[in-house]
Amino acid sequence: MFRKIAALLSTLLIVSTTPLVAAPVIPLTIVKAIPMDQDIAGMLVGDAAIYLFGNTPSGGYVTALNKDGSQKWLHSFSDQRAFTISAGALDASGDIWLAGASAAPIAIAGAANPSPTAANPDGVVIGDEGAIRPDLNNLTLWKVSSAGSGAGKYELPLTAPVLPTSLSVNKSGISIVAWQSAGSMFVAADLLGKFGKPLRVGKTTTTLDKVIRNSDGTSILLGSGTELFLGNKAIGVRDGLIVKVDATPKIVQSVRSGEKGATRNWASATSSLLLGGYLKSKTTSLATITKFGTMLKPTWTVRYKSTSGAVVANGVNSTTYAAYENAGSGTLLTFDKNGKVVSTNSFLDKPIAMAFNKTFGLYIYTGSSIYSLPTK
């Protein structure tokens, strides 16, 4: 009898002291290495391609890539006017919308052109010297079809330089947030490129990094700041901001995410209001991921030690994704609808952009590489 009890206790001890085996961390697949001299302002993923867009010394571009990273097509932008491209989004038809700023050139009057002589037999007219790069005061939208053809260009003249940081497109129109020296700005446009009235959001201490446009024409603006919004005072050194704007446009709701002594920011978001950002204090640096409901109340939140903020994306069947970096090592987490981690993947470097398409899959851009999540 004693031997049976002793054997049973020995078995229980073995079971209780056996370490749990952690779920495997699977490396992501590198789809494409990015040349160091290629300027990329952003990445989008559609039904048939990965889209990269950015600037070149002579203009701008958007290019479509296959799943293996090979190029499908390249659309180049060139103009005698100076311009820059800084943000992008896809619409429901798969067309690409890019936002940036442009301006007409300013020339300083020079000496009159000499008359053609024997030294200039073709009569080439020499332009005035002294042309300088002007301020980029015109908020500009470019539309490119999913096949790579130019489909429109629209401009909103402003009185000061502007730099769009995010845009969101759906069937109800386009929402844009942008930087200006006097403070961040929000403006909406219809799908024909007609702009509405700009709205100043805060002053110089407020930055807007992301916008989500809702189907009813309202918009959710995300960023950080220290200013008072609708009576909501700052909580920390700098708070993450969530601002709702109606179609008027007018600020109708403000939510702050802050902690005493900490700096916070929201810079990534999905249409289902999964938000990604960071929290930094004297003692800690964390990637923050929070799911909000339609009333802008949090439903679940998680934090991870990191050296970057979190970028987020929606998947299928209420699956969501978040990626962040910690000291050069990147982590991709897959969550279920309740915020439980169901799988973990690894990659190198800091995630800059992440996008998912149910047909094409999930991709992460880090500045040096594009990674894909292996399909099961």
Side-chain angles (χ1 to χ4, degrees):
M1 183 68 178
F2 175 77
R3 290 181 178 177
K4 289 182 180 180
I5 293 174
L8 178 61
L9 289 174
S10 177
T11 301
L12 289 173
L13 182 62
I14 292 173
V15 172
S16 63
T17 56
T18 301
L20 296 176
V21 178
V25 177
I26 302 173
L28 296 180
T29 302
I30 295 181
V31 173
K32 184 177 180 63
I34 303 299
M36 292 183 64
D37 60 349
Q38 184 175 353
D39 177 287
I40 297 178
M43 179 189 74
L44 308 168
V45 179
D47 289 339
I50 309 161
Y51 301 103
L52 301 179
F53 59 90
N55 301 283
T56 67
S58 59
Y61 73 93
V62 56
T63 184
L65 306 178
N66 294 301
K67 285 187 175 184
D68 62 1
S70 60
Q71 187 177 82
K72 294 183 66 174
W73 53 256
L74 171 68
H75 181 88
S76 298
F77 302 91
S78 61
D79 200 319
Q80 292 183 348
R81 300 185 301 164
F83 69 90
T84 188
I85 296 171
S86 54
L90 297 174
D91 64 19
S93 300
D95 293 330
I96 304 136
W97 290 82
L98 303 175
S102 60
I106 299 173
I108 298 175
N113 292 323
S115 299
T117 65
N120 186 15
D122 296 324
V124 175
V125 178
I126 302 171
D128 290 342
E129 295 181 359
I132 61 173
R133 182 181 178 90
D135 289 335
L136 305 183
N137 290 0
N138 288 12
L139 193 154
T140 306
L141 289 173
W142 294 268
K143 183 180 180 182
V144 178
S145 74
S146 59
S149 300
K153 179 182 178 182
Y154 315 97
E155 296 185 57
L156 174 65
L158 300 169
T159 58
V162 63
L163 183 68
T165 53
S166 176
L167 77 157
S168 179
V169 185
N170 61 22
K171 293 181 179 180
S172 71
I174 305 167
S175 293
I176 306 164
V177 290
W179 170 91
Q180 283 192 302
S181 60
S184 292
M185 184 189 76
F186 165 82
V187 67
D190 63 25
L191 296 177
L192 297 177
K194 182 180 178 180
F195 290 91
K197 180 182 178 181
L199 173 69
R200 182 72 61 201
V201 182
K203 298 181 181 179
T204 56
T205 63
T206 297
T207 61
L208 297 177
D209 299 308
K210 185 69 177 179
V211 61
I212 297 296
R213 185 176 179 88
N214 299 320
S215 59
D216 61 0
T218 62
S219 298
I220 306 297
L221 321 183
L222 304 167
S224 65
T226 61
E227 299 174 57
L228 182 73
F229 283 98
L230 299 183
N232 293 328
K233 297 181 179 179
I235 302 168
V237 176
R238 187 176 182 88
D239 297 340
L241 293 178
I242 308 171
V243 177
K244 186 175 183 179
V245 175
D246 66 13
T248 308
K250 181 177 67 176
I251 297 175
V252 295
Q253 189 176 358
S254 171
V255 176
R256 306 190 81 99
S257 302
E259 294 186 17
K260 188 175 180 179
T263 297
R264 295 199 59 182
N265 182 56
W266 294 120
S268 180
T270 70
S271 58
S272 65
L273 296 181
L274 178 70
L275 272 56
Y278 65 78
L279 183 154
K280 293 182 180 179
S281 68
K282 292 181 179 180
T283 59
T284 189
S285 177
L286 302 172
T288 56
I289 303 114
T290 301
K291 177 67 174 68
F292 285 83
T294 55
M295 301 303 292
L296 299 183
K297 300 289 185 181
T299 58
W300 57 263
T301 186
V302 289
R303 298 176 175 182
Y304 299 94
K305 183 179 178 181
S306 73
T307 50
S308 78
V311 296
V312 294
N314 281 342
V316 293
N317 301 323
S318 298
T319 296
T320 54
Y321 303 95
Y324 60 90
E325 174 208 19
N326 190 31
S329 177
T331 298
L332 171 68
L333 301 174
T334 303
F335 299 96
D336 67 10
K337 64 179 181 179
N338 298 314
K340 178 184 177 181
V341 176
V342 295
S343 66
T344 304
N345 298 85
S346 64
F347 57 95
L348 295 177
D349 215 343
K350 174 185 176 180
I352 296 174
M354 178 168 63
F356 173 85
N357 176 275
K358 63 181 180 181
T359 302
F360 223 64
L362 180 83
Y363 294 84
I364 296 175
Y365 165 62
T366 65
S368 60
S369 302
I370 297 174
Y371 291 87
S372 69
L373 178 64
T375 55
K376 297 180 180 179

